[in-house]
Amino acid sequence: MWPNRRLCDLLKIEHPIIQAPMAGSATPELAAAVSNAGGLGSLGCASMLPDALRHVVRQLRSWTEYPFNLNFFVYPQPSTTDAVLAQAIDRLRPYYEELSLGAPPARLPPIGPGFDDAKLDLVLEVHPPVVSFHFGIPDPVAIARLKQAGIVILSSATTVAEARRLADSGADAVIAQGWEAGGHRGSHVPTDQGDGVGTMALVPQIVDAIDLPVIAAGGIADGRGIAAAFALGASGVQIGTGFLSCDEAGTDAARRAVIRAATDMDTMVSNAFSGRAARMKRTRYALEMEKSRTRLPDFPQMVALSTPLSDAERATGRGDFAFHLYGQAAALNRELPAEQLMRTLVAETKGIFGALSASPGEG
């Protein structure tokens, strides 16, 4: 039924629907269910320790015989200066006092680059069928080794220039991540929170710019969005927020409740939690931090300062400091098992394709 099978053929899947990796929310159970239903299940592995990654890959292989994707972040080693840290501590101190947390941490944890030689060796060891990257793409040596191992490489682009860079660097397909998408924006360098291109505008421009399968992402939650992506020239879609309400997702009760009540205006983009722009639930903390525009520690070191706030306020239930990542189409979510959601998405898209292809006399 798919008018463009480039992505299906590349990934060896039945339906060109990728479940976004969503570190912490995408579970092996969710990824396996999506893969078994004909899509591409994914796991966010950026912060996993080696033994944990080996364990989840063993789980995946025991639950599905179909392709799956492991996702990693690509970013340089953080180098937050003492001056930036001091400024951020001063800005966050009133919130720590409000929550009776004492003083903010005076030191940040040492963090290496996002994807280094050790992670490359680990990926080659566990040998996933597909590996995807966020915030860029590894160096040519790493890409060559992955390709020699027969691993399909995907990566995210938020602009046409980034898509061209990915194509020139050896990516096999490009995820065109629109402004509407939940979670961290996959820009290759940190950008202003107000920067961004919507999916409707971004996808056709990337399709015209590169000769690779393009995967539309951002604001796609049902068959209407999937059909629209194909009309724009995409070869498939990546859906994140839509899978957060699935039974198998690792979405906690508080976040499920927030998504259940979501509207189109619930979210905002801020770097207040991690140090990089991310679309999240609109909260008092994020709004106030955006007004001050204080320079914050590098991604992901900022997490060390913001996590105590979000952890402490869970007891209050107010949500002032909650870090709930989801996109602008959350109100379209369905609370279904992943296999049923996949069947629903495919059926909806098939129905729209059929309606659009019918002649006026038949419609």
Side-chain angles (χ1 to χ4, degrees), residues 59-76:
Q59 286 182 312
L60 272 170
R61 288 204 162 102
S62 69
W63 294 336
T64 184
E65 60 184 19
Y66 298 104
F68 57 87
N69 165 45
L70 303 184
N71 176 263
F72 297 88
F73 292 165
V74 178
Y75 57 83

Side-chain angles (χ1 to χ4, degrees), residues 30 72 80 119 124 132 146 152 161-163 166 191 193 199 208 222 232 241 259 285 292 296 310 316 323 341 359:
L30 176 63
F72 297 88
T80 302
K119 285 189 177 176
L124 293 170
S132 65
L146 292 168
V152 177
E162 290 176 353
L166 295 179
T191 60
Q193 289 84 293
T199 306
D208 288 349
D222 59 17
L232 297 173
T241 300
I259 292 173
Y285 165 70
S292 75
L296 301 175
S310 53
T316 71
F323 188 33
L341 178 59
S359 70

